[in-house]
Amino acid sequence: MGLPVVLDIALGLMFVYMALGLIASEAQEIVSTMLQWRAEHLKYSIEQLLAGGQSADRRAARRLADQIYNSPMVRDLNYEAQGVIARSARQIIHVVGRIYRLLSRTRNVFGDQTSGPSYIPSEAFATTLLESLQLEGLQKSVVEVRLKRLLQERIMLPLGDTLHTLRAAIGDGALLDVELRNLEASLEKIFLDYRTGRTGLAQIADRVLAELDHFADQGAQILPESYGATQAFIRRLGYLRSQLAGGMDMSEGLVRQLQPTLKELLALINSSDRNERSGELASVRQSLEGKLPLRLKESLSLIAERVTRRTGRADDQLKVFQQELEQWYDRGMDRAGGVYRRNSKIVGILIGIAIAAIVNADTFYMANRLTVNQAVRTSVIQTIDQVPLETMLSQSDDANSNNTGLSALSDDLQDLGNAVQTTLSDYSLPIGRSPKLLATQAVLEADWALPIPRRWFGWGLTGIAVSMGSSFWFDALRRVMSVRTSGSKPTRTSATANDESSVTR
């Protein structure tokens, strides 16, 4: 057997693999769409990411994942086509999905919904997870508690005690009474403005310090300068103001005292101390009770440590924390994508074996017939010669690089499909279940030593080859064709010409 014959046999097998690969790819895509494998795998992967691989945390991870999927940002990613035909097709898919889950005894990962998105961007996941953790709400609640304590315990209470001492020294029980009430009303208004979201934290700090300065100026104008108690009162106001700033820039220092860090927020969420859970922050913490898996808390704490090392500003930490969550999600989805590709490969092999068994595409038998039957081998090569493989490859590269040549490539792929269909219908390829083919196959299996039929191994080999995809065999076909046509064209004998003419008649 010469090299040209070996190449022709390889081309014949590759052609059959490519034809069956087209069918297998379409079948796998239909099954994947009907059973929503991509969307289900994504939901399972997110639950696994949140649970951290711990079976004990799966229930909490499912609840949190359901909450993420029910958020508007993620729910809007589940696009569904409109129209009567599209709705009917979608209903069929939903019915098939319910039957599949009933037979496989698996749960509906989408909960009350019938479908979910097949892709969730990292930004949408991180934003939705932060909303589920209520970090911004918890941060605002902590600032409100600290601001209220600061205004009452660190400003009004010390001012009242100092003013009481001054009044006793001077003998005026109503001294600065009106000014103190005005200060209290101004500070209460500042607190309400922050609670209602009218003013930011930086502006709050500036306003608090401005009100203290205004009160000190009023006291300096009203109080007699000759009394030592007056000077002590002014010094006390200055000391109180410096204590609020914490020895830093006045406004920045006050903001840092009021705004909790990311580690403090996560510590409040993870805290199991009942005493800490009492008070004004109890409602926020109780809403997260039981919703966060233990491994997720550990992961968030590690990410918070990394964020703290990167930036010390509390107002920037949430932004950096969201970026870290996005990277954490991307890494998890990369691993999940590898798992999905492996599962898809297994399914592709099973589909390929099923198609090979249905059409009786036995690799051993096909190789034998292509070896001994020159007419079948020649018919396949003639069909392949009709397809401009080099032109299609160059157009495919251009389409992938700059989105050009798509229409020409589509036309050539259509020609390839027509050529495949013509060959399968007009020539006796060594596949199928005709009585003559089955009889020949049985004769070849007569000397098979193993108890398992040889065609089963042939179907398995064909299924594995088909699962590699039609694009793989298309590229291999092009390479073998280039090797075959690189040498001189063999001279056809009269016998070969007669065989070919008999095939084409």
Side-chain angles (χ1 to χ4, degrees):
M1 186 186 303
L3 180 61
V5 177
V6 174
L7 294 178
D8 288 348
I9 295 173
L11 286 172
L13 291 175
M14 292 177 185
F15 182 78
V16 174
Y17 293 155
M18 184 179 64
L20 297 180
L22 292 171
I23 300 174
S25 299
E26 291 298 325
Q28 186 169 358
E29 185 64 27
I30 291 175
V31 173
S32 176
T33 301
M34 296 290 287
L35 301 181
Q36 302 184 76
W37 279 345
R38 291 188 182 90
E40 283 198 358
H41 181 76
L42 177 61
K43 181 68 182 300
Y44 277 123
S45 301
I46 291 178
E47 292 178 358
Q48 185 74 9
L49 179 66
L50 297 176
Q54 296 293 325
S55 58
D57 292 338
R58 287 181 181 176
R59 183 171 299 178
R62 290 176 184 176
R63 288 197 297 265
L64 183 56
D66 291 340
Q67 185 176 352
I68 293 175
Y69 267 67
N70 289 330
S71 65
M73 183 173 293
V74 175
R75 189 171 59 245
D76 292 342
L77 296 174
N78 188 24
Y79 299 111
E80 293 184 344
Q82 303 299 321
V84 177
I85 298 178
R87 286 196 297 269
S88 300
R90 192 163 58 249
Q91 291 177 356
I92 294 175
I93 293 175
H94 296 165
V95 171
V96 172
R98 285 194 293 268
I99 295 175
Y100 167 75
R101 287 189 291 271
L102 181 63
L103 295 177
S104 61
R105 296 182 179 181
T106 56
R107 66 184 180 90
N108 182 12
V109 297
F110 306 116
D112 297 335
Q113 304 297 323
T114 54
S115 63
S118 300
Y119 171 73
I120 297 178
S122 58
E123 182 180 0
F125 172 82
T127 302
T128 306
L129 180 58
L130 286 178
E131 291 177 354
S132 301
L133 295 177
Q134 304 180 39
L135 286 183
E136 291 187 356
L138 182 59
Q139 183 186 53
K140 191 173 187 300
S141 299
V142 172
V143 173
E144 288 180 3
V145 171
R146 291 182 177 182
L147 179 59
K148 188 173 183 180
R149 290 176 180 173
L150 180 138
L151 298 179
Q152 293 179 351
E153 299 177 7
R154 299 183 59 188
I155 295 180
M156 294 305 303
L157 184 60
L159 274 180
D161 294 340
T162 304
L163 189 57
H164 178 73
T165 303
L166 178 63
R167 288 171 179 173
I170 296 178
D172 187 356
L175 183 65
L176 295 178
D177 186 60
V178 175
E179 288 75 13
L180 184 63
R181 287 199 301 268
N182 291 338
L183 175 62
E184 185 177 9
S186 299
L187 295 180
E188 182 66 23
K189 186 177 186 305
I190 291 175
F191 176 78
L192 292 177
D193 286 344
Y194 178 78
R195 169 171 282 184
T196 56
R198 296 178 181 178
T199 310
L201 188 56
Q203 292 78 15
I204 290 294
D206 292 335
R207 289 175 60 182
V208 169
L209 295 175
E211 291 294 336
L212 286 177
D213 292 339
H214 180 64
F215 181 76
D217 293 338
Q218 288 178 327
Q221 294 176 3
I222 296 175
L223 296 176
E225 298 181 0
S226 58
Y227 286 94
T230 301
Q231 300 300 324
F233 179 75
I234 298 299
R235 288 195 301 268
R236 178 60 178 171
L237 287 181
Y239 175 76
L240 177 62
R241 192 180 189 278
S242 63
Q243 285 296 107
L244 293 178
M248 304 176 60
D249 177 77
M250 294 298 180
S251 179
E252 182 181 356
L254 188 55
V255 168
R256 289 200 175 189
Q257 293 186 53
L258 293 175
Q259 191 170 34
T261 63
L262 181 61
K263 292 180 62 175
E264 291 174 337
L265 293 178
L266 293 178
L268 288 173
I269 293 176
N270 299 336
S271 175
S272 59
D273 190 348
R274 294 185 178 181
N275 294 327
E276 292 187 19
R277 289 182 173 273
S278 61
E280 299 186 38
L281 299 179
S283 60
V284 179
R285 289 193 291 258
Q286 287 175 0
S287 63
L288 297 173
E289 184 72 29
K291 289 186 177 180
L292 299 184
L294 178 60
R295 292 296 297 272
L296 177 61
K297 294 180 181 180
E298 296 176 356
S299 300
L300 294 178
S301 298
L302 292 176
I303 295 175
E305 289 282 353
R306 190 160 56 245
V307 170
T308 304
R309 289 194 299 267
R310 289 180 56 183
T311 175
R313 294 177 57 87
D315 52 351
D316 295 335
Q317 287 182 353
L318 279 181
K319 296 179 182 179
V320 179
F321 186 63
Q322 179 171 347
Q323 296 173 0
E324 290 288 339
L325 284 179
E326 293 175 7
Q327 297 178 9
W328 175 64
Y329 172 78
D330 287 334
R331 290 191 295 268
M333 291 304 102
D334 288 341
R335 296 191 298 271
V339 174
Y340 181 78
R341 286 189 292 271
R342 290 193 295 271
N343 294 340
S344 298
K345 192 65 176 179
I346 296 175
V347 173
I349 292 175
L350 295 178
I351 292 178
I353 294 175
I355 293 176
I358 292 174
V359 302
N360 194 21
D362 180 359
T363 292
F364 298 142
Y365 177 76
M366 289 188 295
N368 178 270
R369 298 311 298 165
L370 289 171
T371 302
V372 301
N373 195 325
Q374 184 178 1
V376 174
R377 189 169 65 247
T378 303
S379 66
V380 175
I381 300 303
Q382 284 180 341
T383 301
I384 299 175
D385 287 336
Q386 298 174 7
V387 183
L389 295 174
E390 294 293 339
T391 303
M392 293 175 64
L393 181 65
S394 61
Q395 290 175 352
S396 177
D397 294 337
D398 292 338
N400 292 332
S401 60
N402 54 12
N403 294 328
T404 60
L406 289 176
S407 60
L409 179 61
S410 177
D411 294 339
D412 286 333
L413 288 175
Q414 183 64 37
D415 294 339
L416 176 62
N418 294 334
V420 171
Q421 183 177 2
T422 301
T423 300
L424 293 177
S425 59
D426 293 348
Y427 300 104
S428 300
L429 291 181
I431 60 175
R433 292 190 173 276
S434 64
K436 183 178 179 181
L437 187 149
L438 294 176
T440 306
Q441 198 174 25
V443 172
L444 294 176
E445 290 187 359
D447 298 332
W448 184 250
L450 298 178
I452 302 176
R454 190 183 74 163
R455 62 180 179 275
W456 289 13
F457 289 96
W459 293 344
L461 186 59
T462 302
I464 295 174
V466 168
S467 67
M468 301 176 72
S470 57
S471 59
F472 172 83
W473 292 114
F474 171 75
D475 184 66
L477 195 66
R478 177 196 64 82
R479 296 179 185 275
V480 177
M481 281 293 292
S482 64
V483 174
R484 181 177 177 274
T485 57
S486 61
S488 59
K489 186 174 182 179
T491 303
R492 295 190 303 173
T493 62
S494 58
T496 304
N498 292 333
D499 289 338
E500 292 182 4
S501 62
S502 63
V503 173
T504 56
R505 279 201 295 268

